[in-house]
Amino acid sequence: MAKAPSVLVLNGPNLNLLGTREPEIYGTATLADIEALCRKQAKALGLTVDCRQSNTEGELVGWIQEARDSAAGIVLNPGAYTHTSVAILDALLAIGLPVIEVHLSNTHKREDFRQQSYVSRAAEGVICGFGVQGYLLALEAMAALLADRRGK
Ligand code: DQA
């Protein structure tokens, strides 16, 4: 049997505080809850996941670079780096893996500075506003995308 493709599920700054961080915006699930749900969803989809979080831009860039050799795709919630980080965009463009961008909140309903995403330029698609469910939708989309590419 072919090896299950691995997806890097990457969360950026302050997402380690989920559960207590502005629950009216981000909900009450913790990052550990989200990662457990991602592992379950991945298994059901025939994928494996490598879940990581960092508050540091350079560490996220390093993990994205490493993913070139270890992952088939990336599900990424870059947190505030979404709106500021050319370095994360460049890393994603450099490795060329399929990327699905996720946000718990609907960033389009929020402040003006959240309307711009650098990361979207490297993403196959963006899921925002569905809370925790967004990660599960992203994994479903990634499974379909990878299966489609394997079939070509
Ligand atoms: C976020 C939205 C960002 O604007 C914010 O900086 C975050 C979380 C979200 O998941 O809704 O940290 O990415």
Side-chain angles (χ1 to χ4, degrees):
M1 223 174 75
K3 204 168 153 241
S6 174
V7 176
L8 177 62
V9 177
L10 200 51
N11 281 288
N14 298 307
L15 294 164
N16 56 314
L17 299 181
L18 288 175
T20 57
R21 176 191 179 196
E22 298 181 275
E24 64 290 354
I25 297 176
Y26 298 115
T28 53
T30 65
L31 184 60
D33 294 335
I34 292 174
E35 291 179 349
L37 287 167
C38 284
R39 274 189 280 275
K40 197 170 159 206
Q41 171 82 329
K43 200 168 175 199
L45 292 165
L47 302 172
T48 59
V49 281
D50 177 10
C51 298
R52 300 186 190 196
Q53 185 276 333
S54 177
N55 293 323
T56 311
E57 188 176 26
E59 190 160 38
L60 293 164
V61 167
W63 286 340
I64 290 166
Q65 291 181 5
E66 281 172 25
R68 173 153 50 183
D69 300 318
S70 57
I74 303 179
V75 169
L76 173 62
N77 183 348
Y81 288 139
T82 307
H83 318 297
T84 63
S85 182
V86 178
I88 289 177
L89 168 64
D90 282 350
L92 295 170
L93 293 174
I95 64 162
L97 289 179
V99 176
I100 299 179
E101 179 182 344
V102 175
H103 301 284
L104 292 150
S105 64
N106 181 354
T107 50
H108 301 292
K109 263 181 152 177
R110 300 182 63 194
E111 302 94 325
D112 285 353
F113 66 85
R114 294 187 208 275
Q115 305 307 311
Q116 149 131 321
S117 167
Y118 286 100
V119 167
S120 293
R121 288 178 172 261
E124 301 294 322
V126 182
I127 298 170
C128 76
F130 294 103
V132 173
Q133 188 66 23
Y135 289 84
L136 309 183
L137 293 169
L139 285 170
E140 200 179 324
M142 183 63 79
L145 196 148
L146 294 175
D148 197 40
R149 291 191 180 184
R150 275 197 305 274
K152 279 189 187 137

